[in-house]
Amino acid sequence: MSELPAAIDVREVGPRDGLQNEAPIPTEAKVELLEGLSDTGVRRIEAVSFVRPSAIPQMADAEQVWASIRRRPHVSYSALVPNLRGASRALAAGFAEIEAVVSASDTHNRANVNRSTAQSLDDIAALLAAAHGIGAHCQVIVSTAWGCPYEGDVAIRRVLDVAGRAVADGADGVSFGDTTGMATPGRVTALVGAFRAAFPDTALNLHFHNTRGTGLANVLAALQLGVTDFDASVGGLGGCPYAPGASGNIATEELVYMVEDMGVRTGIDLPALIEVAARAERAVGHQLPSQVLRAGPRTRRSPLPASLRGNRS
Ligand code: ZN
């Protein structure tokens, strides 16, 4: 495993992608979650999204949440926006990092924001100019990068075209989102390899959902190609709107647990993160899918049952 990166930079997306796919929780619970996460050592947190409250009521209090948290200087907080209007709200609220999202699948993009992928890319060009005009950074997230719930597989050529337009317009990085959990390690290797060949100088972040159980395998495939930026959600918060009952994002503590044991540093305190995951589970009121939350770190020891003591001869 010596060819793996020495360290990765995890972006915690539980407060946004996770909570967006859960029943709404009170503002105070969101603030508590964000503050708990801020003290785990994680350096990037996607805190909120600025979307139409009628479309996503879970994020209706974005401004309030953002204004209420005690921000930690070592954490870079970001907001996700679907369009220029959302970007204006995020920038007005004081975010210096935003993520604009566009779907590689035209059908998915129309279902989400009622416009074609090309129209969204035009809007994102204006959004990038607005962000850069006040010194903010903007990553462009290409969602449904490994498949669409309506169109099925999305061709690599198409994903690269969408990403390429964003890069040409000045995106400060690209993230590929496996919105529907359709990625497998071979598909990760193919898309990341093609992206790297086409855009060797553009920062790449990856966002996997564990819908079909291949989330961490996908991470390992990407690590072997030198990718160092990954999204994950505490406890595996969230879900998949196209597969009721399915898992959400890869769980942050499972990601940290796996890579740290392979010698890849994250800067995140695993026991502290597990504690936050347990609190997140209580906040949403149902069991979260994270296996590491259930089992704890691999070095956790159990007390020897009394019936076995002294029977070692
Ligand atoms: Zn997602």
Side-chain angles (χ1 to χ4, degrees):
M1 293 279 176
S2 58
E3 74 280 14
L4 298 183
I8 62 169
D9 196 6
V10 175
R11 177 166 61 196
E12 170 59 52
V13 299
R16 201 285 303 169
D17 201 359
L19 293 185
Q20 189 165 313
N21 289 295
E22 300 279 353
I25 65 169
T27 304
E28 310 79 72
K30 295 176 187 177
V31 171
E32 195 197 319
L33 177 63
L34 276 160
E35 296 198 340
L37 288 166
S38 298
D39 290 334
T40 62
V42 71
R43 290 181 297 275
R44 295 188 296 155
I45 301 180
E46 188 180 73
V48 291
S49 63
F50 290 93
V51 290
R52 264 190 310 121
S54 57
I56 302 177
Q58 291 93 331
M59 291 288 129
D61 55 357
E63 274 95 352
Q64 228 178 315
V65 170
W66 177 235
S68 303
I69 58 170
R70 272 190 303 127
R71 296 167 207 164
R72 310 299 197 268
H74 64 276
V75 179
S76 168
Y77 300 92
S78 63
L80 180 136
V81 301
N83 50 33
L84 182 55
R85 189 188 169 82
S88 302
R89 280 176 65 195
L91 296 172
F95 275 95
E97 295 280 343
I98 58 176
E99 291 120 30
V101 61
V102 58
S103 185
S105 147
D106 218 48
T107 314
H108 186 263
N109 205 70
R110 284 181 193 281
N112 264 3
V113 290
N114 202 25
R115 51 168 70 156
S116 69
T117 297
Q119 286 170 317
S120 276
L121 285 167
D122 288 342
D123 191 64
I124 286 171
L127 184 164
L128 285 165
H132 291 158
I134 61 164
H137 286 106
C138 181
Q139 178 188 73
V140 174
I141 297 171
V142 181
S143 67
T144 65
W146 281 276
C148 165
Y150 313 114
E151 295 183 15
D153 282 330
V154 175
I156 286 178
R157 185 67 258 166
R158 166 75 177 173
V159 180
L160 293 189
D161 283 348
V162 173
R165 169 76 199 278
V167 171
D169 289 334
D172 295 299
V174 165
S175 180
F176 287 141
D178 185 21
T179 318
T180 49
M182 289 165 71
T184 57
R187 292 175 188 275
V188 171
T189 303
L191 179 58
V192 170
F195 178 82
R196 282 256 193 269
F199 308 102
D201 301 323
T202 303
L204 178 65
N205 182 91
L206 298 178
H207 175 105
F208 294 118
H209 281 245
N210 202 33
T211 320
R212 293 176 176 82
T214 57
L216 287 183
N218 295 336
V219 168
L220 184 55
L223 282 174
Q224 285 167 338
L225 296 176
V227 176
T228 56
D229 293 351
F230 295 94
D231 287 355
S233 148
V234 65
L237 266 177
C240 178
Y242 313 103
S247 293
N249 295 96
I250 57 171
T252 315
E253 57 278 14
E254 293 184 355
L255 172 65
V256 169
Y257 161 75
M258 181 183 84
V259 303
E260 290 272 357
D261 197 55
M262 293 189 300
V264 178
R265 294 189 311 276
T266 62
I268 296 174
D269 178 343
L270 184 58
L273 184 63
I274 291 173
E275 186 48 46
V276 177
R279 293 211 302 270
E281 188 168 69
R282 289 194 290 274
V284 298
H286 65 85
Q287 185 172 312
L288 293 177
S290 167
Q291 306 285 342
V292 171
L293 170 57
R294 300 266 86 72
R298 51 187 285 284
T299 49
R300 179 188 282 179
R301 299 189 191 187
S302 304
L304 185 65
S307 59
L308 297 179
R309 280 177 214 150
N311 286 344
R312 298 230 152 186
S313 50

